[in-house]
């Protein structure tokens, strides 16, 4: 309904419904409807400049303990991690790596508890969007029973980096924390049979967990983003049941064949 | 499709015509996408390129975010509840109680075979061990046996991969039944201006594999009686006799 009281609008010379015809005669394109969906980037897609854990970390030895302390001081005084921590302090003045490490451990414990209960709401608060499918991948139809027994070493911040996404001011901070803890994990399959681990036997777990926060956002929260699994880490405890070893995939065989061919060519060239 | 048919007798031609048309429609239905033109002919005249739009040859066409075929949403057809049985989660078995055997439910949809004929194959396989069932189906001279065998092999693979079954031979067929699937109706001509309906029937084959040993008798009520039981039955029948009009 048109305004009638305050403003006087003279009636149009031609009705409004023939506006499209007039525009077409003049060759004017019709007004394009505004169809845009805002996209909010809440987490980065990976870990930037991942931390490379030193080999032999986690094996108890007096000399290594001293070495580890030196490395810890190194982090504090210089290097890219130090610059990243200073960048974080620009946004978050009270950021202290020692305090943060304890908070990080609490997030780690809460995340595992939420995963065992499969509380999706809480899990999204503990874990970034990128890590959520990785964390809940094989948990869907299973029952997890996880217990945090104790912390063998105090949690430690080992690495920190800051990145900007799209614009220079939109900064994400990624901090790697090292946890050496004692945990129990029992995985029951869909039918309630024990599939992996044990509720009673505790295991020593050494993990390097990457936490991320959208520092440019006032409501940004520290959440688990990724886990760094070094090559020298021993394999996990195998499951109880037997299984058939997977046959070598065609990709691997092709690569092997190509490598063999290259070796043969090299040998003939040398000969 | 009709052009490719070789010259045959009129009756055969008619049948092939009907089948070919139906097969092509089946093809579309199974794909779920029907190639419809996005614009009707009258509308295309209105939206033909004018002076202000760039010619289509100069426009860079990207294959991203373009969907061909059926633009409308089609209601999912076929069995919907059977596979939900695969998602039930049970509590961990308490200490001292016997463990629950694993099971996997599988379905093979819209097999081009009559459900009444498929019933025979489904009945054969009931209560058998998975290996026995697969071996027996190899030698059953029915079209449905091929589909049932494939279904059993797929179910076996699923059980090992997703449902924590350790040994693939440690399974038996606990449930095996058939459901009515797609029915496409056609017509055929008879002599003397009479018409007959031709039904192209499909069926769904449902199977549940359970872990462990199968029971000795799948139908305990209609099993073959042991000699002892037969003797007792005979004796009972003789004891129940009454002599009429006796003292």
């Amino acid at each position: 309904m048109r305004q009638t009281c305050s403003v006087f609008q003279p009636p149009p010379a031609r009705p409004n419904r023939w506006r499209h015809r007039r525009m077409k005669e003049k060759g004017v394109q019709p007004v394009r409807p505004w169809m845009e969906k805002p996209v909010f980037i809440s987490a980065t897609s990976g870990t930037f400049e991942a931390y490379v854990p030193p080999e032999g970390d986690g094996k108890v030895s007096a000399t290594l303990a001293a070495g580890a302390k030196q490395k810890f001081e190194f982090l504090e005084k210089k290097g890219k991690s130090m610059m990243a921590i200073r960048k974080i302090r620009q946004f978050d003045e009270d950021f202290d790596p020692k305090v943060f490490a304890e908070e990080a451990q609490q997030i780690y414990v809460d995340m595992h508890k939420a995963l065992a209960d499969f509380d999706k709401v809480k899990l999204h608060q503990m874990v970034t969007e990128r890590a959520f499918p990785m964390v809940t991948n094989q948990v869907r139809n299973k029952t997890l029973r996880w217990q945090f027994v104790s912390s063998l070493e105090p949690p430690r911040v080992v690495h920190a980096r800051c990145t900007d996404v799209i614009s220079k001011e939109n900064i994400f901070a990624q901090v790697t924390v090292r946890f050496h803890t004692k945990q129990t994990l029992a995985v029951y399959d869909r039918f309630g049979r024990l599939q992996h681990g044990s509720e009673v036997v505790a295991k020593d777990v050494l993990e390097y967990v990457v936490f991320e926060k959208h520092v440019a956002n006032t409501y940004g929260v520290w959440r688990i983003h990724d886990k760094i699994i070094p090559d020298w880490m021993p394999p996990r405890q195998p499951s109880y049941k037997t299984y058939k070893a997977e046959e070598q995939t065609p990709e691997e065989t092709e690569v092997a064949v190509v490598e063999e061919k290259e070796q043969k060519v090299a040998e003939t060239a040398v000969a | 499709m009709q052009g490719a048919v070789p010259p045959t007798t009129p009756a055969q031609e008619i049948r092939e015509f009907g089948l070919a048309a139906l097969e092509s429609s089946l093809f579309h239905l199974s794909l779920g996408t029907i190639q419809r033109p996005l614009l009707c002919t009258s509308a295309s005249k209105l939206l033909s390129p004018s002076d202000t739009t760039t010619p289509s040859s100069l426009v860079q066409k990207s294959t991203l975010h373009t969907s061909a075929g059926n633009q409308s949403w089609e209601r999912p057809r076929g069995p919907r509840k059977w596979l939900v049985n695969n998602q039930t989660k049970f509590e961990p078995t308490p200490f001292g109680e016997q463990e629950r055997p694993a099971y996997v439910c599988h379905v093979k949809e819209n097999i081009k075979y009559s459900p009444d004929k498929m019933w025979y194959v489904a009945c054969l396989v009931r209560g058998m061990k998975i290996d026995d069932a697969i071996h027996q189906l190899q030698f059953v001279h029915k079209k449905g046996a091929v589909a049932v065998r494939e279904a059993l092999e797929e179910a076996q693979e699923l059980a090992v991969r997703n449902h924590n079954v350790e040994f693939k031979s440690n399974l038996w067929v606990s449930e095996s039944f058939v459901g009515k699937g797609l029915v496409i109706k056609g017509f055929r001509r008879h002599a003397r201006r009479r018409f007959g309906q031709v039904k192209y029937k499909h069926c769904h084959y449902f199977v549940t594999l359970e872990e462990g040993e199968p029971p000795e008798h799948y139908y305990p009520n209609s099993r073959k009686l042991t000699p002892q039981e037969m003797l007792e039955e005979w004796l009972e029948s003789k004891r129940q006799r009454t002599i009429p009009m006796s003292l």
Side-chain angles (χ1 to χ4, degrees):
Chain A
M1 288 296 285
R2 240 180 262 145
Q3 263 184 322
T4 45
C5 30
S6 47
V7 178
F8 172 69
Q9 282 183 350
R14 295 182 195 110
N16 258 349
R17 64 175 181 273
W18 293 338
R19 192 180 42 182
H20 298 289
R21 291 190 197 173
R22 304 281 87 79
M23 284 164 83
K24 204 164 170 269
E25 279 169 14
K26 289 179 182 167
V28 176
Q29 291 280 303
V31 176
R32 212 188 163 95
W34 186 258
M35 291 197 292
E36 263 191 17
K37 199 163 181 180
V39 174
F40 177 69
I41 297 169
S42 54
T44 47
S45 59
T47 317
F48 299 98
E49 291 172 45
Y51 172 64
V52 178
E55 252 193 76
D57 195 14
K59 290 177 185 164
V60 179
S61 120
T63 48
L64 267 173
K69 277 183 190 165
Q70 277 179 7
K71 279 177 192 166
F72 183 46
E73 284 163 17
F74 210 62
L75 171 73
E76 281 292 296
K77 282 177 187 165
K78 62 175 178 180
K80 270 183 140 179
S81 297
M82 192 55 219
M83 299 302 290
I85 291 170
R86 281 174 66 183
K87 189 90 192 179
I88 296 167
R89 285 211 183 100
Q90 274 181 7
F91 295 92
D92 194 3
E93 279 167 10
D94 302 326
F95 182 77
D96 183 20
K98 289 172 196 169
V99 174
F100 173 69
E102 294 295 326
E103 285 173 11
Q105 186 164 72
Q106 192 52 47
I107 295 169
Y108 179 78
V109 170
D110 290 340
M111 186 275 261
H112 281 90
K113 284 185 182 164
L115 189 64
D117 300 331
F118 206 69
D119 190 350
K120 280 197 228 176
V121 173
K122 252 192 169 178
L123 209 51
H124 274 290
Q125 290 165 1
M126 306 287 161
V127 145
T128 59
E129 283 73 33
R130 182 240 177 210
F132 185 81
M134 294 163 73
V135 154
T136 55
N137 181 28
Q138 289 168 337
V139 169
R140 287 261 124 78
N141 277 341
K142 298 186 175 69
T143 317
L144 287 191
R145 285 193 181 162
W146 184 85
Q147 285 287 324
F148 180 78
V149 178
S150 65
S151 183
L152 295 167
E153 289 172 37
R156 213 170 75 218
V157 170
V158 291
H159 196 71
R161 289 289 186 271
C162 276
T163 49
D164 50 275
V165 174
I166 296 166
S167 61
K168 261 189 138 179
E169 293 83 32
N170 189 23
I171 290 170
F172 284 85
Q174 290 179 346
V175 173
T176 311
V177 185
R178 173 189 181 279
F179 299 111
H180 198 180
T181 54
K182 217 168 189 161
Q183 301 166 12
T184 61
L185 175 69
V187 180
Y188 295 89
D189 67 359
R190 224 185 96 209
F191 309 100
R193 314 178 300 183
L194 186 66
Q195 191 175 6
H196 181 82
S198 153
E199 277 195 72
V200 182
V201 177
K203 298 261 165 188
D204 295 347
V205 173
L206 175 63
E207 277 188 336
Y208 301 91
V209 183
V210 180
F211 287 79
E212 194 192 62
K213 182 179 176 185
H214 189 190
V215 285
N217 184 1
T218 40
Y219 306 108
V221 187
W222 284 106
R223 298 187 293 176
I224 289 172
H225 187 63
D226 194 8
K227 186 167 92 167
I228 293 165
I229 304 166
D231 296 328
W232 49 260
M233 193 73 101
R236 290 180 294 187
Q237 183 204 8
S239 58
Y240 294 123
K241 63 178 189 130
T242 56
Y243 58 93
K244 193 176 168 187
E246 271 179 35
E247 286 163 16
Q248 207 180 27
T249 54
E251 293 169 9
E252 288 169 29
T253 49
E254 276 172 29
V255 166
V257 161
V258 165
E259 279 177 4
E260 277 175 29
K261 277 187 185 166
E262 280 175 351
Q263 275 180 2
K264 282 179 188 168
V265 164
E267 279 169 26
T268 48
V270 164
Chain B
M1 214 156 185
Q2 286 105 48
V5 174
T8 50
T9 57
Q12 280 182 0
E13 254 183 31
I14 289 154
R15 277 203 204 100
E16 282 175 22
F17 171 86
L19 239 184
L22 288 157
E23 268 176 22
S24 60
S25 64
L26 254 176
F27 175 73
H28 288 312
L29 283 156
S30 63
L31 274 184
T33 56
I34 299 166
Q35 299 289 330
R36 286 196 208 103
L38 288 171
L39 304 164
C40 58
T41 46
S42 54
S44 58
K45 286 173 198 166
L46 284 172
L47 291 170
S48 57
S50 63
D51 295 332
T52 47
T53 55
T54 52
S56 55
S57 55
L58 296 178
V59 169
Q60 235 184 352
K61 281 176 187 166
S62 119
T63 47
L64 290 171
H65 307 298
T66 52
S67 57
N70 200 355
Q71 298 281 314
S72 58
W73 180 77
E74 279 192 1
R75 185 166 62 87
R77 284 152 206 279
R80 282 164 294 181
K81 295 183 201 170
W82 184 242
L83 294 174
V84 176
N85 293 329
N86 278 334
Q87 281 150 33
T88 47
K89 194 159 86 164
F90 299 96
E91 287 290 314
T93 44
F95 183 72
E97 272 187 35
Q98 211 179 29
E99 271 187 358
R100 194 186 290 272
Y103 71 85
V104 63
C105 297
H106 189 51
V107 64
K108 200 157 173 74
E109 294 171 21
N110 285 326
I111 305 162
K112 179 65 201 73
Y113 199 52
S114 161
D116 299 330
K117 295 175 193 167
M118 187 64 121
W119 180 81
Y120 291 103
V121 184
C123 284
L124 170 75
V125 163
R126 247 169 240 165
M128 273 188 170
K129 293 206 80 174
I130 184 79
D131 288 337
D132 295 341
I134 289 172
H135 294 324
Q136 289 296 320
L137 285 168
Q138 258 185 308
F139 300 100
V140 170
H141 298 294
K142 283 186 186 294
K143 185 169 144 182
V146 175
V148 171
R149 189 175 175 211
E150 280 173 17
L152 288 176
E153 284 172 345
E154 283 168 16
Q156 193 183 38
E157 242 181 284
L158 282 175
V160 171
R161 218 186 308 150
N162 301 344
H163 299 271
N164 195 31
V165 165
E166 197 172 345
F167 304 110
K168 66 176 192 175
S169 296
N170 194 23
L171 294 161
W172 65 280
V173 180
S174 66
E175 283 178 320
S176 157
F177 56 93
V178 183
K180 179 180 137 183
L182 206 60
V183 175
I184 296 161
K185 289 169 203 167
F187 294 99
R188 63 149 296 186
R189 294 171 73 176
H190 281 281
R192 298 180 182 264
R193 291 183 196 170
R194 293 210 189 113
F195 276 90
Q197 199 181 49
V198 185
K199 287 187 180 175
Y200 296 94
K201 291 189 177 180
H202 296 74
C203 62
H204 308 306
Y205 176 65
F206 302 86
V207 69
T208 308
L209 297 181
E210 252 188 63
E211 205 178 6
E213 288 294 317
E216 221 180 288
H217 303 285
Y218 192 80
Y219 295 108
N221 294 333
S222 54
R223 62 187 160 83
K224 201 173 172 187
L225 299 172
T226 58
Q228 202 60 266
E229 285 168 340
M230 283 206 289
L231 176 66
E232 276 177 26
E233 264 197 18
W234 182 83
L235 283 173
E236 265 304 307
S237 69
K238 297 299 170 207
R239 282 175 199 144
Q240 277 168 10
R241 285 179 302 186
T242 55
I243 300 158
M245 298 197 287
S246 65
L247 293 164

